[in-house]
Amino acid sequence: MELEQLRIFIRVAETKSFSKTAEELFVSHSTVSRAVSSLENELCVKLIERGNAVQGLTPAGETLAE
């Protein structure tokens, strides 16, 4: 787990948007997506409910965000 992954995840949790997070952190959308996916894979848990947009955090995502 890297600090940058956590920073990105927290920003996605706050903005509820991968695109807005990417814009605010001056990185690409794919960088944000990869960071969150890597964090999920490393922790073996889904953190964000996804659809066409971020629908919210899973219980595990809520816990990590706190």
Side-chain angles (χ1 to χ4, degrees), residues 8 12 17-18 21-22 25 27-37:
I8 289 171
V12 171
S17 170
F18 282 71
T21 297
L25 298 178
V27 297
S28 68
H29 183 281
S30 62
T31 297
V32 172
S33 181
R34 271 194 311 264
V36 173
S37 292

Side-chain angles (χ1 to χ4, degrees), residues 2-65:
E2 295 181 18
L3 186 57
E4 184 66 11
Q5 290 172 320
L6 287 172
R7 184 171 77 105
I8 289 171
F9 166 73
I10 293 299
R11 207 57 209 127
V12 171
E14 291 171 346
T15 64
K16 308 272 191 274
S17 170
F18 282 71
S19 297
K20 184 146 180 78
T21 297
E23 184 179 308
E24 289 179 2
L25 298 178
F26 303 103
V27 297
S28 68
H29 183 281
S30 62
T31 297
V32 172
S33 181
R34 271 194 311 264
V36 173
S37 292
S38 292
L39 192 56
E40 289 176 324
N41 289 336
E42 189 173 334
L43 297 174
C44 299
V45 67
K46 188 175 177 182
L47 299 170
I48 296 176
E49 293 291 344
R50 296 172 179 87
N52 289 336
V54 174
Q55 296 175 339
L57 299 178
T58 65
E62 292 281 349
T63 300
L64 183 62

